[in-house]
Amino acid sequence: RSNACPREIMVGAGPLRWLLACTATSAVRGQFPPLPPDPHSPSCMINGKGCPIPANWATDWSLINSTALMSADPGGFNTTRRWGLVTLDWQSGWPEWIRSDPNEIHVEAFSAAACRSLKRAGRVRYCSIYHNMELSLEWLESQRRVMDDAHVQADWFLRYSNGSVVDTARQVRSGQGPFLRQYFINWSNPDAADYFVAATTNATVVEGVDGTFTDDSPGVPAEHPELQPELNVSNATLLVLQRATQAGEQRLATALAARGRTCWNCIDGVEGPVGGQWGMNTHRPPADAVGCARAMRELCAPERQHRGLFMEYDTGWREPPTTNLYHNQTLAAFLVVRPALGFVGTSYALNDDNWNPLFAMDVGTPLETCREGPTGVFSRKWSQGTAKLDCTTYTASLPFGLLPI
């Protein structure tokens, strides 16, 4: 590739209309720069400071209703178990919602109806749907409504220097259904930001829906690293776009909380080291005594009770088969430190097949917060027993009976 700048990217009016888009000597061109938890980010989904707690949130302390997973099953989320929070990926049940005419596709309404059905059947306690913070997706009806030439010309979406919109159209599956448009949202445009915050909030604040997934929350070019070399865009340019996206996310988190809803990333607000969805949750304390105690003391801090917690439950799909997943230690740590808005689960690979019978432990309600004593041993009394994690031996105590499910 030549070091010249063949194309630029248009992102709005005024000083941001034409961003500097050339990095002639960049050694990392084409790679999405790592994005660790960033205290300077305006987004509570990324900066680690915690998002607003939803107004009038109905806390359910039972462990079985504190589990969490994401379902992208084409057959829909058909479960024989009970789960706490289930978020329905846009791909969930797609053979039912796909149409040859994109204007007849209504995934937001389809997912909301699926949430209501799951709740009526008693299979989930909370349910959320899907949105994307990087992309405007033609199959989401509230977003399709503005994916027209007028809004392209008004700079609501990223454009090439020739004025054409950046579109990564795709099929749901190769050879399945029409090609559906994917435009990159220009969050630096105030009108566009206002619309997408309001549209996402309104699509979420409906009967049966408790929240939304906020995919690609770091912003452009999440999941689309090809955009940077294709446009010859500098890392500095990406950061400007990312910060605008993240400012919109903060507004969305606040708007959702004010109306009693949340988002998947809002619960904990800890992004992974590469800004991906896989590492955004709080991980269980490490197995070494010093690291375990340090992590537990941080999670036991009184101020942690006033924010959300999403503890990662490892399912083994990313680890070698012989890896000890320490499920008992994970559940003990969760019960010792969890706040009112607390879940234990993962984005993918948790399902009926690896449902843990311990999810049905009858823990009751907490009688106290976390305490340490003796040194390195952390416990918490619940109405049905005391959960304990001994960091000195990395052993868990879970003396609870099981619910009859």
Side-chain angles (χ1 to χ4, degrees):
R1 174 179 293 277
S2 168
N3 284 338
C5 296
R7 287 194 278 186
E8 293 177 301
I9 191 164
M10 184 185 294
V11 298
L16 287 179
R17 184 173 180 82
W18 297 101
L19 282 173
L20 299 176
C22 184
T23 315
T25 60
S26 172
V28 295
R29 182 183 297 153
Q31 299 177 5
F32 183 27
L35 186 65
D38 181 358
H40 302 294
S41 170
S43 172
C44 62
M45 305 179 198
I46 291 173
N47 59 28
K49 299 176 183 178
C51 290
I53 299 295
N56 303 314
W57 183 262
T59 300
D60 191 324
W61 292 101
S62 65
L63 182 59
I64 198 169
N65 285 338
S66 302
T67 55
L69 74 153
M70 184 179 196
S71 173
D73 192 334
F77 184 59
N78 298 309
T79 179
T80 60
R81 302 290 190 180
R82 275 179 56 193
W83 295 94
L85 169 64
V86 172
T87 194
L88 301 177
D89 184 74
W90 66 269
Q91 300 173 86
S92 181
W94 71 262
E96 293 187 52
W97 59 252
I98 195 69
R99 301 289 186 275
S100 59
D101 180 357
N103 291 312
E104 295 179 358
I105 297 174
H106 304 280
V107 173
E108 288 167 315
F110 177 88
S111 297
C115 280
R116 290 190 289 273
S117 178
L118 287 166
K119 284 187 168 184
R120 284 195 300 267
R123 294 303 179 189
V124 305
R125 177 65 173 84
Y126 309 97
C127 189
S128 64
I129 60 176
Y130 178 94
H131 288 93
N132 191 296
M133 302 308 297
E134 177 190 34
L135 297 167
S136 181
L137 306 172
E138 188 175 14
W139 56 90
L140 300 183
E141 57 270 27
S142 71
Q143 300 186 347
R144 181 174 64 244
R145 196 170 296 127
V146 295
M147 294 174 70
D148 54 29
D149 187 62
H151 289 93
V152 169
Q153 296 302 318
D155 292 326
W156 281 36
F157 307 102
L158 303 190
R159 293 195 281 161
Y160 298 116
S161 57
N162 66 6
S164 62
V165 68
V166 182
D167 180 11
T168 57
R170 60 165 294 170
Q171 293 175 294
V172 178
R173 293 286 191 278
S174 179
Q176 301 288 329
F179 277 88
L180 300 169
R181 294 172 293 157
Q182 299 185 124
Y183 294 175
F184 291 85
I185 301 169
N186 177 16
W187 286 93
S188 69
N189 183 308
D191 292 335
D194 288 347
Y195 179 82
F196 283 100
V197 168
T200 302
T201 301
N202 291 336
T204 304
V205 183
V206 297
E207 181 189 357
V209 177
D210 301 286
T212 183
F213 195 76
T214 43
D215 207 359
D216 299 333
S217 55
V220 64
E223 294 194 46
H224 295 275
E226 73 281 358
L227 190 67
Q228 187 172 6
E230 180 180 330
L231 298 174
N232 214 8
V233 187
S234 70
N235 287 344
T237 298
L238 292 181
L239 183 60
V240 172
L241 293 169
Q242 290 164 359
R243 286 292 192 252
T245 304
Q246 293 160 22
E249 292 165 4
Q250 181 63 38
R251 292 177 57 195
L252 175 63
T254 302
L256 289 171
R259 300 182 67 178
R261 304 302 197 275
T262 189
C263 75
W264 187 268
N265 295 36
C266 297
I267 294 169
D268 203 324
V270 179
E271 273 291 348
V274 293
Q277 300 301 329
W278 310 122
M280 69 184 184
N281 305 332
T282 293
H283 287 263
R284 61 169 173 78
D288 67 284
V290 173
C292 176
R294 181 187 303 116
M296 288 298 290
R297 290 180 187 123
E298 291 176 359
L299 292 171
C300 285
E303 59 268 22
R304 294 287 304 210
Q305 289 297 306
H306 303 293
R307 57 171 290 178
L309 172 70
F310 197 136
M311 185 164 285
E312 183 77 12
Y313 180 89
D314 292 323
T315 56
W317 73 285
R318 289 167 291 175
E319 294 84 11
T322 57
T323 302
N324 190 334
L325 301 177
Y326 296 111
H327 287 158
N328 286 20
Q329 289 83 348
T330 300
L331 295 177
F334 176 73
L335 290 172
V336 169
V337 305
R338 72 155 292 181
L341 181 63
F343 293 94
V344 56
T346 190
S347 298
Y348 289 104
L350 184 60
N351 50 51
D352 281 13
D353 292 339
N354 52 19
W355 193 86
N356 189 334
L358 292 181
F359 291 158
M361 286 189 296
D362 182 11
V363 298
T365 56
L367 303 179
E368 62 180 6
T369 55
C370 165
R371 60 177 175 173
E372 181 181 3
T375 301
V377 180
F378 299 85
S379 63
R380 186 185 198 177
K381 289 182 180 179
W382 289 71
S383 57
Q384 299 299 319
T386 298
K388 182 184 298 183
L389 179 64
D390 186 339
C391 286
T392 66
T393 59
Y394 208 60
T395 54
S397 176
L398 297 166
F400 303 100
L402 298 181
L403 293 168
I405 58 170

